Amino acid sequence: MALSYAIIGTGGIGGYYGGCLAKFGKDVHFLFHSDYEFVKQYGLQVDSVRGDFHLQSVQAYGNSSEMPKCDVVLVCMKTTNNHLLKAILSSIVHANSVVVLIQNGLGIEKQLADEMPGVSIVGATAFICTTKIGPGHVHHAEYGSLTMAKYCGECEAVLQQIAADFEEAGVQVNVGDDLNSIRWKKLVWNIPYNGLTVVLNAETDDLTFNPDTRQLVIDLMNEVVAAGRACGAKISDTFVSKMIDMTEKMTPYSPSMRVDYDAHRPMEIQAMYSNPIQIALQHGYAMKKTEVVEKQLRFLAQKR
């Protein structure tokens, strides 16, 4: 089956994944904000470690109400804007649409399901280093795989087709059946590296190779693993060491929260820190170290 796609949030994530799909002939509709006029005139440029490409003709929209109803909606915007999601989606989804949340954090699928009952929802995490570096211009530095799992709805066949479309476009996709574990595994990396790069004004290599901050990263990772397990997530004993090894090989990088902080944009504190802390506490586990980072981030956000 041929699926139509809507990209909500055409930054580093949406620009790269949507761009890959469009490059390989998929029917992709992009929602832009400040870049709309630029992209309509000049197109979308993706500089990628896997090969640069330019889309001159882009199905671009400046308002979601102007977009057609699509089979698949890839939500790639920051969770700080999720309060707008219901209004954005209302004119784009049809009865059988599948909404894929390619976002960071925990509890975001439940929030959308509560606001839009009956909508099929898939959660996804991106293992990628990509950033929007200018109007209609995305830089993809490393990695790029997606991991997805159904949250609710009858969408198994469509989910398999989404995976096939991405694979055809050169994006590795892993379809799982345990979204809770997928979300907590992503937090094992996100909680230490996103927050500490902001609090300590550092990049990933600074934190990884300094012995003091390396131990702090490991301590936070172990706490997230323990919290995830308390919430039923399946995370192996070797997962923390794998995350450290992976980061050692990674090109020095400013994660999304550090990029947002430097650009004076809201940080994803609620979805990435507060929600996991609250959910873990409901399961009897107190994330004491993570709470410290959360409070530091909220202080810096309020100071801004």
Side-chain angles (χ1 to χ4, degrees):
M1 82 183 94
L3 298 174
S4 58
Y5 289 85
I7 307 296
I8 308 302
T10 311
I13 296 290
Y16 176 71
Y17 289 126
C20 287
L21 290 170
K23 177 187 175 186
F24 279 82
K26 306 305 177 185
D27 182 18
V28 187
H29 304 263
F30 296 83
L31 179 63
F32 289 91
H33 180 47
S34 58
D35 293 2
Y36 170 68
E37 295 293 344
F38 182 93
V39 173
K40 286 291 287 184
Q41 183 173 356
Y42 299 106
L44 179 66
Q45 175 67 34
V46 178
D47 300 337
S48 173
V49 66
R50 296 177 179 170
D52 301 348
F53 62 91
H54 183 79
L55 302 175
Q56 182 56 51
S57 179
V58 178
Q59 297 186 104
Y61 305 83
N63 193 304
S64 59
S65 63
E66 301 167 354
M67 301 178 74
K69 294 187 183 298
C70 291
D71 302 316
V72 181
V73 182
L74 303 180
V75 178
C76 307
M77 67 185 190
K78 296 295 176 63
T79 56
T80 49
N81 290 317
N82 275 15
H83 61 284
L84 304 172
L85 201 48
K86 181 180 178 181
I88 292 171
L89 293 177
S90 60
S91 61
I92 303 173
V93 298
H94 55 67
N96 298 312
S97 295
V98 176
V99 178
V100 183
L101 300 178
I102 309 178
Q103 296 182 301
N104 288 320
L106 201 65
I108 52 180
E109 290 85 10
K110 183 182 185 304
Q111 179 184 349
L112 180 60
D114 289 344
E115 293 179 351
M116 300 186 73
V119 172
S120 294
I121 301 172
V122 169
T125 59
F127 181 54
I128 190 170
C129 300
T130 184
T131 310
K132 176 187 163 187
I133 58 174
H137 194 177
V138 172
H139 177 64
H140 168 224
E142 232 163 345
Y143 306 113
S145 65
L146 282 167
T147 301
M148 302 180 179
K150 184 185 83 168
Y151 178 76
C152 64
E154 299 298 322
C155 57
E156 289 81 358
V158 175
L159 181 52
Q160 292 300 326
Q161 185 60 52
I162 295 169
D165 286 350
F166 269 116
E167 292 284 354
E168 183 182 347
V171 176
Q172 179 188 346
V173 175
N174 305 301
V175 177
D177 58 4
D178 183 0
L179 182 58
N180 183 53
S181 294
I182 291 169
R183 286 282 178 211
W184 277 104
K185 283 180 178 179
K186 185 67 185 293
L187 289 169
V188 172
W189 194 92
N190 270 346
I191 281 179
Y193 279 105
N194 270 278
L196 292 180
T197 53
V198 174
V199 172
L200 299 177
N201 189 27
E203 289 197 328
T204 53
D205 60 326
D206 299 320
L207 300 178
T208 306
F209 293 106
N210 177 282
D212 293 320
T213 53
R214 182 187 183 94
Q215 188 58 54
L216 180 56
V217 166
I218 291 171
D219 289 346
L220 281 164
M221 285 186 170
N222 283 326
E223 180 175 85
V224 179
V225 169
R229 287 173 174 171
C231 296
K234 300 176 180 65
I235 308 175
S236 71
D237 292 339
T238 60
F239 191 73
V240 167
S241 61
K242 287 179 181 177
M243 290 295 98
I244 294 295
D245 291 345
M246 175 206 75
T247 312
E248 286 181 340
K249 299 179 178 68
M250 183 186 294
T251 302
Y253 180 60
S254 288
S256 60
M257 185 170 282
R258 170 69 188 277
V259 173
D260 287 338
Y261 179 74
D262 288 345
H264 293 253
R265 293 191 294 262
M267 295 182 287
E268 296 183 281
I269 301 171
Q270 184 66 41
M272 207 182 298
Y273 290 86
S274 305
N275 287 358
I277 289 168
Q278 292 164 10
I279 291 169
L281 197 57
Q282 290 167 9
H283 288 79
Y285 188 89
M287 300 178 72
K288 295 294 187 182
K289 294 181 177 66
T290 304
E291 286 180 18
V292 172
V293 180
E294 178 206 28
K295 287 178 171 61
Q296 291 171 321
L297 290 169
R298 289 201 179 278
F299 170 80
L300 291 173
Q302 291 164 10
K303 193 174 182 182
R304 276 277 167 95

